[in-house]
Amino acid sequence: MAQLQAQHSRDSVGSAIALRVLAAAFATGLSFCIHGAAKHADTAQIVFLRSVLAIPALLLWGVLTSPLPDLMPRAPRKHLVRGVVGGCAMALNFYALGQLPVTHAQALAYLAPVLTIPAAVILLGERLTVRTLIAVTLGFAGMLAMLATSFARPDWGWAQLSGVLAGIAFAAIMALLRVQIRAMTTTETTISIALSFAVISSVLGGVATLLTGWVPMTPTLWAWLGGAGLLGAATHIAATEAVARAPVSTLAPFDYAGLVFAVILDFAIFAHLPGPWGWLGIGLIACAGLLTAFNGRSIGTGLRLR
């Protein structure tokens, strides 16, 4: 029995890691869609349409995979707090993506896994191994290496600086949100968390557009935001399922895979490759992921996995 439970635990952690890497890939594609849409519309309009266009995909996924009661929140207040705070975080991230190159905005977003570690320890009581701390440190160093050349560019002004500040604020908020989502998965279903967030952020984005205005939609803008809606739904589902299966601190280093995906897409779309610091960053990030992948055990937590 003990061997079966141990095997189940390893399988659960393995599937969680796979889901987290998949979520990172989806999130990178989403970032490119938002970066493209930001050339045509304001942040509020992008938040609204990205959220609204994700709802049909989430509903379809929920109906096909879950009983209808699972779509409804069991603790509405928790969903409301998560939705409002998450909507603000989304706006900050989208603003950063509009002001910065995608790879740089992604790098700032990956401060979140680093900040998640102490948050998970303090709020969830998760225990850390030395290997996990080393892995997250390597990932953080890799992120700094990728940003090093950007901050030295003389053409950066207030727009880029405000994007950097927004990206850092997004990372800090997301570190706390991930811990909250982890706690919510003990009582709330994945689909209810994802669907309530899409609905609440749609309302927030819609209200914000009353203040910022509305840009007429074009086929190009529809394409960018349609892709963002689908990828946003896929990202949310994969990421939430991942944290329901394994501790936050176990999954944190694997978020850095998104930077590798961003470099690949930057080359495929814009024919741009990193310089020496960028390659160093990718190497450090890859080492962080491998170090945790070969850890062989999950980090303890009082929350059940499913």
Side-chain angles (χ1 to χ4, degrees):
M1 180 63 70
Q3 289 181 339
L4 288 176
Q5 290 178 339
Q7 181 63 42
H8 175 72
S9 178
R10 286 193 294 270
D11 291 344
S12 180
V13 172
S15 64
I17 290 172
L19 284 166
R20 201 64 185 176
V21 173
L22 188 62
F26 289 149
T28 303
L30 167 63
S31 295
F32 274 87
C33 289
I34 297 302
H35 183 76
K39 299 181 182 300
H40 307 277
D42 290 332
T43 300
Q45 185 173 345
I46 294 172
V47 169
F48 172 72
L49 287 172
R50 174 259 184 258
S51 301
V52 167
L53 293 174
I55 293 175
L58 290 171
L59 283 173
L60 178 61
W61 180 76
V63 170
L64 293 177
T65 61
S66 308
L68 289 180
D70 283 355
L71 275 66
M72 301 301 297
R74 297 168 187 167
R77 183 175 296 180
K78 292 181 180 179
H79 286 263
L80 179 60
V81 172
R82 185 266 183 275
V84 171
V85 178
C88 294
M90 179 191 292
L92 288 168
N93 183 35
F94 287 3
Y95 178 80
L97 284 165
Q99 304 301 320
L100 303 172
V102 175
T103 302
H104 301 159
Q106 285 280 84
L108 286 172
Y110 288 119
L111 277 170
V114 178
L115 299 175
T116 296
I117 296 297
V121 172
I122 295 171
L123 300 178
L124 297 181
E126 293 187 3
R127 298 188 302 273
L128 298 179
T129 64
V130 173
R131 181 173 296 193
T132 302
L133 287 173
I134 293 173
V136 174
T137 301
L138 287 175
F140 182 66
M143 178 205 68
L144 293 179
M146 295 192 72
L147 285 173
T149 55
S150 298
F151 286 114
R153 289 174 55 182
D155 57 334
W156 273 38
W158 166 246
Q160 290 76 18
L161 178 59
S162 65
V164 169
L165 295 176
I168 294 172
F170 163 74
I173 294 173
M174 280 305 301
L176 296 175
L177 274 179
R178 290 181 182 186
V179 175
Q180 184 201 16
I181 293 170
R182 169 67 176 161
M184 287 177 67
T185 58
T186 60
T187 60
E188 306 300 303
T189 61
T190 298
I191 182 58
S192 69
I193 295 173
L195 190 57
S196 66
F197 173 71
V199 172
I200 294 170
S201 57
S202 296
V203 174
L204 293 175
V207 172
T209 59
L210 298 177
L211 301 175
T212 61
W214 184 271
V215 175
M217 297 297 293
T218 63
T220 299
L221 189 53
W222 275 118
W224 283 124
L225 290 174
L230 291 175
L231 288 169
T235 300
H236 205 121
I237 291 168
T240 306
E241 285 286 352
V243 296
R245 288 169 165 78
V248 172
S249 49
T250 298
L251 299 175
F254 291 93
D255 284 358
Y256 296 111
L259 279 178
V260 179
F261 298 139
V263 170
I264 293 172
L265 284 178
D266 258 340
F267 177 70
I269 297 175
F270 303 115
H272 176 265
L273 284 174
W277 282 104
W279 287 119
L280 174 62
I282 293 172
L284 291 172
I285 291 165
C287 289
L290 289 173
L291 189 61
T292 303
F294 291 114
N295 194 11
R297 60 179 182 175
S298 64
I299 299 169
T301 176
L303 302 177
R304 65 182 174 88
L305 307 180
R306 64 179 184 182

